[in-house]
Amino acid sequence: QLVRKDASGATLPVDVAALVREVSQMCRRTFEPGIDMQCDAPAAPCFVLARRAELQQVVVNLCINARDALVGRPSPRLELAVSAGPEQILVTVTDNGAGMPPEVLRRLGEPFFSTKPPGRGTGLGLATAYGIVAEFSGSIRCSSAAGQGTRFELRLPRHRVAVGSTGTDVAVRPTARGLRVLIVDDEELVQNTLRRAVERFGAEVLSATRGSEALALLQANPDLDLVLLDLAMPEMDGVEVLRGLRAMNTTVPVYLMTGFLSSDVEMTGATGVFTKPIDITQVSALLARVAGPRGHGGTRASAG
């Protein structure tokens, strides 16, 4: 059973590159259209140990502060970037806004300290962000000058995801070399993030955004080794697609992906379930199991 529930509030591996891309897309949709939003994040996953929702809250908060600093500025620009070193992940949020004088910079992170007008801020956003990042063994630094913009640097220890079931943190190896995996999801962000992760483990990936497309791909590729199938999709939902897949192939492992699993969902034919946001460490372990002795480029065999 691969249903992941994070009710305990435990820290888990979080792909920072994917998270930053997600925040950037959200900002593009919700911020003023005149702001030039830039995002530079690596295609390959890079992990830290954190609680995803809280880490996302930190990055969003920094972006909102940057947006507020851009009000009335010519050619407003906000840049999000991620760089991954051997031991550390660096996330930067940079704007060309009003900037801050030294006396304000010194007080950043103080509870209830805010430069925003009454009703526009509580002064708790940055204080909360500093506390969250410190809990994840990281740090936040800020450089700014009046009239010259602001740059926040968020640093977190890099986490090497576990490959296989040993539980040892090691660099990602191509344990799924030789596998052919079909990923079916109508959300572009999920599709692209998961595809990059699976390809990084050495597998060949086929992608579909609709059920009819997935069925056509399986019909044309009956020797697929694994299917990762979103439960909620337009046109045909995951349950309908699962029935169609099983009518053509009774042995290929099919794992459903869902943000919410109701007890009313009929899952006959599914091999297992992943809950969203997808935990890449569980996916890597699954790929290693399906690959078996082929994990280092051995002879293909049908999965069962």
Side-chain angles (χ1 to χ4, degrees), residues 111-135:
F112 305 108
F113 173 73
S114 177
T115 60
K116 298 178 183 178
R120 291 289 303 277
T122 63
L124 290 175
L126 276 178
T128 301
Y130 276 64
I132 289 171
V133 172
E135 188 178 350

Side-chain angles (χ1 to χ4, degrees), residues 227-245:
V227 178
L228 301 175
L229 172 62
D230 186 30
L231 193 58
M233 293 187 298
E235 182 192 276
M236 299 174 67
D237 64 24
V239 173
E240 294 177 281
V241 178
L242 177 61
R243 293 195 192 107
L245 291 173

Side-chain angles (χ1 to χ4, degrees), residues 48-261:
V48 299
L49 283 178
R51 289 184 289 277
R52 193 179 196 280
E54 292 184 8
L55 184 57
Q56 183 181 57
Q57 174 190 346
V58 170
V59 179
V60 169
N61 182 271
L62 294 178
C63 289
I64 290 173
N65 286 345
R67 177 204 63 186
D68 292 346
L70 292 170
V71 174
R73 301 289 293 179
S75 305
R77 182 183 179 89
L78 198 165
E79 301 177 10
L80 267 170
V82 180
S83 58
E87 305 296 332
Q88 191 178 73
I89 305 295
L90 171 65
V91 179
T92 58
V93 180
T94 308
D95 67 69
N96 64 344
M100 293 175 281
E103 60 270 20
V104 172
L105 200 57
R106 283 194 296 267
R107 298 189 64 186
L108 284 186
E110 287 184 17
F112 305 108
F113 173 73
S114 177
T115 60
K116 298 178 183 178
R120 291 289 303 277
T122 63
L124 290 175
L126 276 178
T128 301
Y130 276 64
I132 289 171
V133 172
E135 188 178 350
F136 301 148
S137 301
S139 65
I140 297 180
R141 295 179 182 177
C142 178
S143 57
S144 183
Q148 297 182 24
T150 300
R151 174 185 171 94
F152 277 93
E153 296 183 352
L154 165 59
R155 300 175 187 272
L156 289 164
R158 185 168 186 172
H159 176 72
R160 298 291 183 176
V161 297
V163 178
S165 57
T166 63
T168 303
D169 287 347
V170 295
V172 174
R173 299 189 302 272
T175 54
R177 186 180 294 129
L179 290 187
R180 303 184 75 207
V181 179
L182 172 60
I183 299 174
V184 189
D185 199 303
D186 64 302
E187 293 185 47
E188 182 181 357
L189 179 64
V190 175
Q191 176 79 253
N192 292 341
T193 301
L194 194 53
R195 185 192 72 245
R196 283 191 291 267
V198 172
E199 286 177 340
R200 192 178 181 214
F201 288 106
E204 176 188 349
V205 175
L206 286 75
S207 301
T209 57
R210 293 185 176 272
S212 56
E213 186 183 359
L215 295 177
L217 283 172
L218 181 63
Q219 190 168 28
N221 301 273
D223 59 342
L224 286 174
D225 298 292
L226 177 65
V227 178
L228 301 175
L229 172 62
D230 186 30
L231 193 58
M233 293 187 298
E235 182 192 276
M236 299 174 67
D237 64 24
V239 173
E240 294 177 281
V241 178
L242 177 61
R243 293 195 192 107
L245 291 173
R246 283 297 177 229
M248 289 188 282
N249 188 319
T250 60
T251 60
V252 61
V254 179
Y255 284 78
L256 298 177
M257 302 183 294
T258 178
F260 175 75
L261 185 60

